[in-house]
Amino acid sequence: MQADGATPADSLDTAVLRALCARHGDAPERLIEILHDLQELAGHVPEAALPVIAEALNLGRAEVHGVASFYHDFRRAPAGPVVVRLCRAEACQARGALALIDEALEQRGAALGETAADGVTLEAVYCLGNCALGPAGTVNGRLHGRLGADRLERLVAEAFAEEEAR
Amino acid sequence: MTVTLWLPGDSAAASVGADAVAAALLNEAASRGLELRLRRNGSRGLFWLEPLLEVETPAGRIAYGPVAADDVPGLLDRGLLEGAGHPLCQGPTEEIPYLKDQERLTFARVGVIEPLDLAGYEAQGGLAGLRRALALTPAEIVDAVTDSGLRGRGGAGFPAGIKWRTVLEQPAGPDGGSKYVCCNADEGDSGTFADRLLIEGDPFLLIEGLAIAGLATGAGQGFVYLRSEYPRAIEVLKRAICVMEQAGWLGDDLGGSGRTFRLEVRRGAGAYICGEESAMLESLEGRRGTVRAKPPIPAVAGLFGRPTLVNNVLTLAAVPTILARGAAFYRDFGQGRSRGTQAFQLAGNVRRGGLVEKAFGVSLRALIEDFGGGTASGRPFRAAQLGGPLGAYVGAAQLDTAMDYESVAAAGGLLGHGGIVVFDDTVDMARMARFAFEFCEIESCGKCTPCRIGAVRGKEALERILGDRDLARNLALVEELCELMADGSLCAMGGLTPMPVLSALRLFPEDFGRAPAAAAE
Ligand SMILES: Cc1cc2nc3c(=O)[nH]c(=O)nc-3n(C[C@H](O)[C@H](O)[C@H](O)COP(=O)(O)O)c2cc1C
Ligand code: SF4
Ligand code: FES
């Protein structure tokens, strides 16, 4: 996919970042929205982007860094082509979510938060508001309920196929 | 004649295949040359029946569910468009007992109309509350909210009228500076989805409630802090705001009154603590979501230091009904100091999970057994967690508790945001207690030591208990840590984490290697 160290995000133009901030009026209270937009664009929030944003919003680097690291949504390293987020909050646990997660991890020999050899990044999430239809999870942002191991793997395969087709 | 079908566009329905059902319907209709109109409503909140397909007939809407895309040809073969019988047919939607036995005030239109159809909204009673509010003084609006007995639905149950009055009474500031209304749509509690269901299914109601709050408090700007885990809700609400702006119900001249009220949606970023109101305000200012010390309360100095009304989605969404139908109408539902209706949410291991809007006072047993139909697994019920991850666990002996703020508190629990998470007899309550600490560790804002450190130590102690090591000492340590967290935490994250832990320990000691509790009653 990409050369070592050089993520597409690192090559994100300063001009692109500035434009992104400008779209939010360079308003410091919009920092979280800006980081969301950046992650949508680049797949994660690259370290190199933070000083540029800090300057545009007239904030300290430490402050921008603090915000980016506080919120669970912001990924600091690139993810694989398919991101699976599985809910491990109580209502999904009551429907067997932990076993589902363990199986998905074991099968890939990866831990939560890591990208497995097959290119799936598995992350934990705490409630997706689908608690009557658990276990719940998302595959590349799309919400799914009544998940079982087979259905999950089918959805992952479909997501890979969709990525290929792009 | 064109037949109208309804299928939810709601994200929960989509999560179990509603969009595939929609595609299958349109395909089949095209290949069979059938004339049908497919409308996308919100979800009725009968989730075990999702995707729930409805067909309009002269006898009203007939429901089918749960429908899979594969079922579509067979359904059409057997007379779906006439509302004919089929194993998936649930009969007239409004006659389904789960729905019929509810008292839907706030959720009256959810699943009935198209979420962005303003004319449909108005035809079903929408905007009547806002129109009424425009004819009242701010103090009169606040009086109506006070008289209704409405209390905050976000968890703490604080009387809404008192908060509204406090914000109204704050001076606008020498610079004529603004006040704010902030809607808390962070809905982080496991087992809750009512805010999402409402926003996706009837967003105009929330906007109407917010506009009324603006008129009542003198705030010119509102924000909805909506969690990023709800992308459809964000999209629907943003579009609904545009529709309301174009219709003149938001903006510089609200409903022709000359008053200004603007509304903006802001995304959360996956931090549970940002549901705590002061952390939410920090986040709305673009910062880390750390909790602020009180005082000052947000009503006096909130967003950007300005007087700010913070209310949950369902608190605000109850207001149009109160204005339109009168405070007494709303107050007549419920009992004691718990007035109106509560959106109970049945989740977890329950056969019929979904939304049950009922007057306060319905028993937990009626909710779990009559509405919910018991566990989904068919195994015996063992425990339920009430009011989210910071709420207590209850067991079979508590099932006759009346679900109102006072009765649940008397039973040692919290009503919270109305979530009820059901567990069968395979649950290990020591593991659930361990998870409560772990969740606190993950989501703590880190500002105070009892919470930050207590959660980690508590989790470790429970791991030793689960490993059967030094039971007596570790159990004593858990109790001690809980006392420390309850007494010394700045907010309810650390302060209430002991609630699930200690309730599990008291009610299910056998899971912690202790002798079973004497059977209650
Ligand atoms: C850790 C924590 C999380 C909370 N999460 C939410 C939430 O997701 N939604 C909400 O409305 N209130 C939440 N609250 C309660 C808010 O602090 C606040 O009381 C509420 O938004 C006020 O609105 P209300 O009076 O309409 O309930 C939370 C409180 C704490 C301590
Ligand atoms: S109790 Fe926990 S979440 Fe609340 S202020 Fe203290 S550290 Fe932050
Ligand atoms: S607990 Fe998993 S979606 Fe709510």
Side-chain angles (χ1 to χ4, degrees):
Chain A
M1 275 246 326
Q2 56 223 21
D4 275 353
T7 69
D10 281 337
S11 57
L12 258 189
D13 228 60
T14 305
V16 172
L17 285 168
R18 281 185 198 276
L20 206 157
C21 294
R23 250 200 311 190
H24 290 280
D26 291 330
E29 72 266 23
R30 294 283 203 137
L31 175 56
I32 294 162
E33 290 286 336
I34 291 167
L35 293 175
H36 271 305
D37 286 358
L38 173 57
Q39 180 152 307
E40 270 160 33
L41 200 72
H44 73 292
V45 172
E47 199 62 41
L50 300 183
V52 185
I53 295 173
E55 201 185 311
L57 304 188
N58 202 13
L59 289 170
R61 285 178 185 206
E63 170 133 35
V64 174
H65 198 277
V67 170
S69 59
F70 181 86
Y71 292 95
H72 301 308
D73 273 3
F74 301 129
R75 207 176 280 125
R76 311 305 303 282
V82 173
V83 177
V84 175
R85 307 183 83 198
L86 294 173
C87 175
R88 63 187 298 271
E90 290 90 339
C92 285
Q93 287 189 32
R95 297 297 286 261
L98 296 187
L100 177 73
I101 295 171
D102 283 347
E103 195 174 332
L105 289 174
E106 211 162 284
Q107 189 173 325
R108 298 186 162 76
L112 279 175
E114 289 177 4
T115 302
D118 67 351
V120 173
T121 305
L122 258 162
E123 297 175 341
V125 50
Y126 296 87
C127 196
L128 295 161
N130 203 21
C131 331
L133 291 172
T138 63
V139 179
N140 280 357
R142 208 171 297 155
L143 180 66
H144 300 284
R146 293 182 189 134
L147 281 175
D150 293 347
R151 179 139 178 273
L152 178 62
E153 293 309 327
R154 211 163 50 239
L155 292 165
V156 167
E158 281 169 25
F160 272 114
E162 253 174 62
E163 283 300 303
E164 297 265 305
R166 287 234 185 131
Chain B
M1 208 193 68
T2 306
V3 178
T4 301
L5 297 171
W6 293 82
L7 184 70
D10 175 89
S11 54
S15 84
V16 288
D19 293 340
V21 172
L25 271 168
L26 296 177
N27 272 337
E28 277 295 311
S31 68
R32 295 179 190 213
L34 299 170
E35 299 233 353
L36 60 83
R37 176 169 180 221
L38 182 60
R39 302 183 74 177
R40 304 301 295 268
N41 49 347
S43 168
R44 302 261 187 173
L46 280 55
F47 289 124
W48 80 98
L49 291 177
E50 291 292 357
L52 181 79
L53 176 65
E54 293 174 85
V55 54
E56 267 181 29
T57 75
R61 276 152 77 162
I62 309 290
Y64 296 80
V67 176
D70 292 349
D71 295 323
V72 168
L75 277 163
L76 286 168
D77 290 344
R78 291 176 63 173
L80 170 74
L81 300 187
E82 292 80 50
H86 185 279
L88 294 177
C89 183
Q90 306 292 328
T93 315
E94 310 276 349
E95 296 299 317
I96 298 173
Y98 196 94
L99 197 54
K100 195 184 161 115
D101 294 342
Q102 297 193 27
E103 290 147 307
R104 288 202 169 185
L105 304 181
T106 297
F107 286 82
R109 275 177 300 260
V110 174
V112 175
I113 61 170
E114 278 172 334
L116 294 170
D117 171 16
L118 187 56
Y121 177 71
E122 240 186 302
Q124 300 269 344
L127 293 176
L130 181 52
R131 286 208 165 89
R132 176 88 190 105
L134 283 166
L136 300 176
T137 65
E140 286 168 333
I141 303 174
V142 172
D143 285 342
V145 172
T146 307
D147 292 346
S148 74
L150 178 67
R151 292 168 66 177
R153 299 289 190 254
F158 189 81
I162 296 180
K163 215 188 259 185
W164 286 41
R165 187 172 314 281
T166 308
V167 180
L168 168 62
E169 284 169 355
Q170 301 307 305
D175 51 344
S178 29
K179 301 178 189 178
Y180 297 104
V181 176
C182 292
C183 171
N184 190 339
D186 200 47
E187 194 164 69
D189 289 359
S190 166
T192 65
F193 41 76
D195 294 352
R196 182 189 61 68
L197 192 67
L198 184 98
I199 292 172
E200 291 188 27
D202 196 12
F204 296 135
L205 183 66
L206 175 60
I207 296 171
E208 188 181 345
L210 276 156
I212 295 170
L215 292 173
T217 56
Q221 171 78 51
F223 291 97
V224 180
Y225 187 83
L226 223 171
R227 66 199 303 251
S228 59
E229 291 86 345
Y230 290 179
R232 271 201 200 207
I234 292 170
E235 188 195 320
V236 170
L237 188 59
K238 283 186 171 169
R239 288 169 61 191
I241 288 172
C242 288
V243 173
M244 288 289 258
E245 279 169 352
Q246 272 160 17
W249 295 110
L250 286 174
D252 280 335
D253 185 19
L254 200 167
S257 67
R259 305 278 302 275
T260 296
F261 188 71
R262 299 176 193 286
L263 199 53
E264 210 177 291
V265 179
R266 288 289 180 78
R267 281 177 284 182
Y272 178 76
I273 195 57
C274 289
E276 195 282 335
E277 57 185 6
S278 67
M280 178 187 80
L281 297 173
E282 285 290 308
S283 189
L284 278 169
E285 293 180 12
R287 286 200 285 270
R288 298 161 65 97
T290 44
V291 171
R292 296 177 182 173
K294 280 185 198 174
I297 55 171
V300 174
L303 189 64
F304 302 114
R306 308 294 316 163
T308 303
L309 178 72
V310 179
N311 273 134
N312 174 252
V313 173
L314 300 183
T315 314
L316 291 161
V319 170
T321 305
I322 291 166
L323 269 290
R325 303 175 79 168
F329 168 82
Y330 193 77
R331 196 178 54 222
D332 279 349
F333 292 86
Q335 61 182 31
R337 293 200 296 117
S338 306
R339 313 309 314 184
T341 56
Q342 167 74 33
F344 297 102
Q345 296 137 80
L346 292 173
N349 197 331
V350 64
R351 196 148 75 89
R352 292 190 289 264
L355 180 104
V356 180
E357 183 176 355
K358 269 306 252 187
F360 285 102
V362 58
S363 76
L364 182 57
R365 186 185 301 283
L367 290 169
I368 292 179
E369 294 180 0
D370 301 345
F371 283 96
T375 63
S377 60
R379 298 185 61 94
F381 165 83
R382 181 136 189 260
Q385 187 176 28
L386 309 182
L390 307 177
Y393 285 99
V394 297
Q398 284 80 36
L399 280 176
D400 291 312
T401 306
M403 296 295 278
D404 62 61
Y405 294 109
E406 284 70 36
S407 307
V408 175
L414 266 182
L415 199 55
H417 187 49
I420 299 172
V421 177
V422 177
F423 295 83
D424 72 12
D425 65 346
T426 58
V427 67
D428 179 341
M429 296 307 294
R431 285 186 185 281
M432 299 320 295
R434 178 197 169 282
F435 179 77
F437 278 126
E438 184 189 359
F439 186 68
C440 184
E441 177 191 356
I442 296 168
E443 300 296 344
S444 165
C445 83
K447 187 155 178 168
C448 55
T449 320
C451 169
R452 198 180 61 239
I453 307 293
V456 181
R457 296 277 176 274
K459 185 185 81 173
E460 291 166 354
L462 267 153
E463 267 156 15
R464 288 191 293 269
I465 292 167
L466 283 161
D468 215 4
R469 302 206 318 265
D470 268 340
L471 275 185
R473 216 178 55 188
N474 283 304
L475 284 167
L477 177 59
V478 166
E479 303 247 6
E480 208 175 292
L481 286 166
C482 282
E483 203 180 311
L484 210 75
M485 290 173 77
D487 294 345
S489 298
L490 183 58
C491 85
M493 178 85 227
L496 289 179
T497 291
M499 195 172 249
V501 173
L502 293 179
S503 58
L505 182 55
R506 303 252 186 284
L507 290 170
F508 307 98
E510 63 276 23
D511 287 11
F512 297 77
R514 276 185 176 168
E521 279 126 303

